[in-house]
Amino acid sequence: MSFYTALSGLNAAQTDISVTSNNIANVGTLGFHGSRAEFADIFTTSPYSRPASQIGSGTEVSRIGVDFKQGSLTATGKVLDLSLQGPGFFQVRTGPDAGADAGYTRAGAFGMNREGFVTNAAGHFLTVFPTSENGDTLSTTQTQRLQIPQLFGTPQSTTAVDLSFNLSLSDNGGLGTQAAIPAAAFDPADPTTYAATTQIPVLDGAGRAVPAQAFFVMSDAPDALDGGIAYTVQLVVDGVTAEPADPLAALSFDAGGAQTGGLEAMSFALGDQSLSLSLAGSRVSDGPFGAITVSQNGTRQLDLSSVDVRQDGTVWANYGAETSIAVGQVAVVNFSDIQGLGSIGSATYRASRESGEAHLGVPGSSGFGAVRSGSVESSNVDLTEQLVNLIMAQRNYQASAKALETNGTLADTVMNIRS
């Protein structure tokens, strides 16, 4: 029996060394929790034996306990690097499907994948409570994977352009060289058929910019009898010349340069769509040709500009300079018995019968830690303590090995007794 007692001591010391070695190996693993081997003595009794004379039968591993104390927080400056100040875990989905198994971790080095889902290095998906766009939490009992859209808004094609500009009497910037009045048949590729041209902003139905130009064909030049000047307008959008609803509509100015025509918007047909061009506020002078103001009513989808995560876990996506929407609230999870959690690697755990069901909570509420953006939780392993434990485990292993050797020597002595 003493052989088995010594052997159990060897096995126990080996387990202790393995646990300590694993702690040391993960001293740099984010969100890692150190473990310790906990042992219990083996004691067998018989109803016919005297309790005072019973000897133990060695030791066994009762459990590998996990130290869930919080590790130190390290600032990273990355918005999606998250940590928890206080108890709880982040909930993640371990697979790409919305119904994948749930995992629980404090390793908060998250980032966005190409589809906008927030994931960690293990490919696990961060989950959040659903929210409205203004940040109101819609449910604290159901979670969903956090996805941050890269674009926001509904694109609309341009139907109206407001343009005011200065038409130069002396220099059109080389944008047109009309040779005669009336001009030859308009041709956007022939500068001699128009006096000036300018680019205008136009968006298609997908919110994409399309090339568009307004051309000004001089129809009346100043003379001794009349100092006024007039232009007809041609519109070319994406290589197609638009049909004016009123071919006689003109942009005109009196001898003093004040605008007299073109004060009302001009309408142009583009297939089954129409585009109006307002030229109110334009002028004619000896100054250089150029736009004064320009605007259009089309809209494009806004690109994601930044992401913010508040202490209550609400994730805000910012688009452009002014638009911000909430895309979810980080869920925090706790358990009745966290020692009952099972490890699945990557500093992540799964619920078990021993741990009980997961309790969902809002960050910062009673029993749940607050979210800190721009920082991660380091391993809670104390390297100095682990090195001391390693020395102690090595000493225990050597002592058990010596006890086993001694038992072997005693057995050899018995076997060598001569009659």
Side-chain angles (χ1 to χ4, degrees):
M1 181 62 75
S2 57
F3 279 100
Y4 294 107
T5 301
L7 184 59
S8 71
L10 279 175
N11 291 333
Q14 180 61 61
T15 299
D16 199 5
I17 291 173
S18 297
V19 172
T20 304
S21 298
N22 185 60
N23 290 340
I24 293 173
N26 285 283
V27 71
T29 301
L30 295 179
F32 179 79
H33 298 104
S35 302
R36 67 179 182 185
E38 298 178 3
F39 304 98
D41 64 320
I42 301 174
F43 196 85
T44 58
T45 60
S46 169
Y48 303 106
S49 61
R50 295 177 59 244
S53 63
Q54 292 297 304
I55 301 174
S57 301
T59 187
E60 64 179 354
V61 178
S62 60
R63 73 170 182 176
I64 304 299
V66 181
D67 182 6
F68 282 102
K69 72 181 180 183
Q70 182 167 321
S72 60
L73 304 186
T74 303
T76 64
K78 297 180 180 179
V79 173
L80 290 177
D81 280 348
L82 306 178
S83 60
L84 286 173
Q85 183 73 46
F89 301 86
F90 298 113
Q91 185 189 63
V92 294
R93 294 292 174 185
T94 57
D97 299 327
D101 292 338
Y104 307 94
T105 183
R106 289 181 70 96
F110 294 103
M112 275 192 294
N113 65 13
R114 64 182 181 180
E115 297 174 332
F117 287 103
V118 176
T119 63
N120 59 18
H124 298 164
F125 294 76
L126 179 65
T127 66
V128 292
F129 297 124
T131 62
S132 63
E133 290 186 356
N134 64 2
D136 293 333
T137 304
L138 302 179
S139 172
T140 56
T141 60
Q142 300 293 325
T143 59
Q144 62 189 26
R145 295 177 299 169
L146 174 59
Q147 185 177 28
I148 302 176
Q150 301 301 296
L151 298 172
F152 178 76
T154 302
Q156 294 180 349
S157 60
T158 300
T159 59
V161 177
D162 291 332
L163 173 66
S164 64
F165 60 96
N166 181 70
L167 279 164
S168 176
L169 292 174
S170 58
D171 179 18
N172 62 14
L175 300 176
T177 58
Q178 185 173 339
I181 300 174
F186 171 70
D187 182 358
D190 184 1
T192 64
T193 63
Y194 56 86
T197 182
T198 183
Q199 302 284 339
I200 62 173
V202 174
L203 303 178
D204 63 12
R208 297 185 297 262
V210 295
Q213 283 181 273
F215 295 85
F216 303 93
V217 181
M218 186 178 291
S219 58
D220 184 20
D223 54 33
L225 297 177
D226 181 9
I229 188 171
Y231 299 87
T232 58
V233 181
Q234 298 285 348
L235 197 61
V236 178
V237 179
D238 203 13
V240 178
T241 301
E243 294 291 335
D246 182 4
L248 299 179
L251 172 65
S252 60
F253 304 87
D254 63 17
Q259 185 177 356
T260 57
L263 297 172
E264 300 293 331
M266 302 177 184
S267 182
F268 296 83
L270 287 168
D272 58 353
Q273 296 181 340
S274 64
L275 177 65
S276 67
L277 177 63
S278 175
L279 297 171
S282 297
R283 64 174 182 250
V284 62
S285 71
D286 290 328
F289 175 86
I292 300 172
T293 60
V294 62
S295 64
Q296 54 86 30
N297 67 346
T299 58
R300 67 180 70 198
Q301 288 182 300
L302 299 175
D303 292 320
L304 178 68
S305 57
S306 63
V307 177
D308 296 323
V309 183
R310 309 284 172 82
Q311 288 190 11
D312 65 354
T314 304
V315 182
W316 291 87
N318 305 311
Y319 300 89
E322 299 178 354
T323 304
S324 297
I325 63 170
V327 293
Q329 184 178 29
V330 176
V332 181
V333 182
N334 217 335
F335 296 87
S336 300
D337 181 11
I338 58 176
Q339 289 294 335
L341 292 172
S343 178
I344 60 174
S346 300
T348 305
Y349 305 90
R350 58 173 174 79
S352 69
R353 182 175 60 184
E354 289 76 17
S355 67
E357 295 183 355
H359 304 299
L360 293 167
V362 173
S365 60
S366 178
F368 301 93
V371 172
R372 297 287 185 266
S373 175
S375 65
V376 292
E377 182 175 340
S378 302
S379 169
N380 67 357
V381 173
D382 185 332
L383 186 57
T384 301
E385 179 183 354
Q386 296 304 312
L387 292 174
V388 172
N389 291 343
L390 189 63
I391 293 172
M392 295 175 61
Q394 180 185 17
R395 182 196 61 189
N396 295 339
Y397 188 91
Q398 291 173 335
S400 294
K402 189 65 176 177
L404 188 62
E405 179 185 356
T406 301
N407 279 293
T409 301
L410 292 175
D412 288 342
T413 301
V414 173
M415 295 297 293
N416 292 331
I417 293 176
R418 297 180 183 275
S419 56

